Amino acid sequence: MGAKLNLDKLDLQIISEMMEDAQISYADLGKKLFVSGGTIHVRIKKLQEHGIVKGTKLNVDLKALGYDITAFVGIFLEKSSLYDTVAKDLRKIPEIVRLNYTTGNYSMFIEVVCKDINQLRFVLHDALQKIKGIERTETFISLDESFNRKVEVVQDVA
Amino acid sequence: MGAKLNLDKLDLQIISEMMEDAQISYADLGKKLFVSGGTIHVRIKKLQEHGIVKGTKLNVDLKALGYDITAFVGIFLEKSSLYDTVAKDLRKIPEIVRLNYTTGNYSMFIEVVCKDINQLRFVLHDALQKIKGIERTETFISLDESFNRKVEVVQDVA
DNA sequence: ATTGAAAGAGTCTCAGT
DNA sequence: ACTGAGACTCTTTCAAT
């Protein structure tokens, strides 16, 4: 971590490729980007040392595992000073996978992933309502996810 | 892909572990879960063949790359039948990383990732306004992301 | 289905450029 | 800073259980 770091085009190309497929071998990725596998290795090591690359994660089809339902919930707080304590309580609910403190209409914004409508109802009506400091909530259930991708880190993609 | 598949506790434990760190070796993961590396290999192969595991992705610190700003935008459509054509246009904007069709207040809901406020302003005022069929939008800029995690696939985590 | 061992492939290090 | 080769580790296959 830390220190200033200049990333060149090769670094960004490596990140871009591996954001989609982290299993590609250094040799193959080197071929694709016209450098040796050793160079890929050195660059990735540098990116890891600087905390830009933090590891790899398994890409799991949550729908296939039965997690069919995604909902977004805007939360109004009684007082915005309650953010920290409410955040702590929200973190304890495993179905809540993301929490953001936001400008605009809502004080905070969460994403909920569930296996069925009953589980979602439980989270929204039982779990959330038990938390002190939440004034009210507005729920948006996702009927379809058109896309969910990573931001482009290089302009001219391979 | 396809076919019915029963996942046992070991399958879910493997998924759970590798969702956080996909680089762990089969031997090490086997030790952790009290089976051989060969068994881990067979299970992962099965999960891949059934489309539950779709590969691995690089875990990149986007903030370190300069992508500091995340915003959520609720979109009101003139007619909900315009969803498909608007979705197609939204997909062309690289800063828009996610699009969901939702119930509730908004017709659709997007997530935008940018390097600075100017880039966000460009997306919101120029890019979005050019798209036919959008009536109006409501923006929520994330001031802080308290957490962003995966759903729990096993109750008793290691 | 799980195991352990052998074969094959990939990573990592390092001396040379 | 990049390369290629050698040492090492991991994946993959397979015969045995």
Side-chain angles (χ1 to χ4, degrees):
Chain A
M1 275 271 203
K4 184 76 172 63
L5 182 60
N6 276 9
L7 299 179
D8 65 11
K9 192 175 164 185
L10 179 60
D11 294 318
L12 294 175
Q13 283 176 317
I14 292 169
I15 291 170
S16 179
E17 292 287 340
M18 294 188 70
M19 280 201 313
E20 294 311 311
D21 174 18
Q23 299 200 96
I24 188 169
S25 76
Y26 294 175
D28 287 349
L29 185 52
K31 253 176 241 166
K32 209 165 175 178
L33 302 177
F34 307 106
V35 292
S36 74
T39 298
I40 300 289
H41 178 241
V42 170
R43 296 302 188 102
I44 290 175
K45 219 174 111 188
K46 179 186 73 175
L47 292 167
Q48 284 173 333
E49 279 163 2
H50 285 81
I52 289 164
V53 166
K54 297 193 288 183
T56 66
K57 291 191 173 191
L58 205 64
N59 183 11
V60 176
D61 185 345
L62 288 174
K63 280 199 197 353
L65 275 181
Y67 293 89
D68 272 302
I69 296 181
T70 298
F72 305 97
V73 182
I75 295 177
F76 297 88
L77 292 179
E78 287 164 10
K79 283 185 290 181
S80 58
S81 62
L82 293 167
Y83 181 81
D84 285 338
T85 79
V86 172
K88 222 178 126 193
D89 288 337
L90 290 171
R91 188 191 280 268
K92 287 177 203 152
I93 303 171
E95 290 89 348
I96 298 177
V97 297
R98 191 174 183 189
L99 165 59
N100 288 78
Y101 181 40
T102 51
T103 67
N105 221 338
Y106 313 109
S107 307
M108 53 214 293
F109 207 81
I110 63 173
E111 181 180 338
V112 182
V113 174
C114 291
K115 286 192 148 182
D116 52 57
I117 287 288
N118 283 332
Q119 195 185 355
L120 178 63
R121 183 163 36 218
F122 174 80
V123 172
L124 296 178
H125 289 133
D126 293 346
L128 277 190
Q129 300 311 321
K130 280 204 185 77
I131 297 176
K132 294 281 172 209
I134 293 180
E135 189 179 284
R136 63 190 184 87
T137 61
E138 266 176 30
T139 302
F140 313 98
I141 297 173
S142 173
L143 300 175
D144 181 53
E145 179 158 272
S146 301
F147 58 86
N148 189 348
R149 64 189 178 192
K150 290 279 182 176
V151 69
E152 251 178 40
V153 295
V154 268
Q155 274 61 44
D156 38 324
V157 191
Chain B
M1 272 270 200
K4 185 76 171 64
L5 182 61
N6 275 11
L7 299 179
D8 65 10
K9 192 175 166 184
L10 179 60
D11 293 318
L12 294 176
Q13 282 176 317
I14 291 169
I15 291 170
S16 180
E17 291 288 339
M18 294 188 70
M19 281 201 314
E20 293 311 310
D21 174 17
Q23 299 199 96
I24 188 170
S25 77
Y26 295 174
D28 287 350
L29 186 51
K31 253 176 239 165
K32 210 166 174 178
L33 302 177
F34 307 106
V35 292
S36 74
T39 298
I40 300 290
H41 178 242
V42 170
R43 297 302 189 102
I44 290 176
K45 220 174 109 187
K46 179 185 73 176
L47 292 168
Q48 284 171 333
E49 279 163 1
H50 285 81
I52 289 163
V53 165
K54 297 192 290 183
T56 66
K57 290 191 175 193
L58 204 65
N59 183 11
V60 176
D61 186 345
L62 288 173
K63 280 200 200 342
L65 276 181
Y67 293 89
D68 272 303
I69 296 181
T70 298
F72 305 96
V73 183
I75 295 176
F76 296 89
L77 292 179
E78 287 163 9
K79 284 185 290 180
S80 58
S81 61
L82 293 168
Y83 181 81
D84 285 338
T85 78
V86 172
K88 222 177 127 195
D89 288 338
L90 290 171
R91 188 190 280 269
K92 288 178 201 151
I93 303 171
E95 289 90 349
I96 299 178
V97 297
R98 191 175 182 189
L99 165 58
N100 287 79
Y101 180 40
T102 51
T103 67
N105 221 338
Y106 313 108
S107 307
M108 54 215 292
F109 206 80
I110 62 174
E111 180 179 339
V112 182
V113 174
C114 290
K115 286 192 149 182
D116 52 56
I117 287 288
N118 283 331
Q119 195 185 356
L120 179 62
R121 183 162 38 217
F122 173 80
V123 172
L124 296 177
H125 289 131
D126 293 345
L128 278 189
Q129 300 311 321
K130 281 205 184 78
I131 296 176
K132 293 283 171 206
I134 293 179
E135 190 178 283
R136 63 190 183 86
T137 61
E138 267 176 28
T139 302
F140 313 98
I141 298 172
S142 173
L143 300 174
D144 181 53
E145 180 158 274
S146 300
F147 59 84
N148 189 349
R149 64 190 176 191
K150 290 279 180 174
V151 69
E152 252 179 38
V153 295
V154 268
Q155 274 63 44
D156 37 324
V157 191

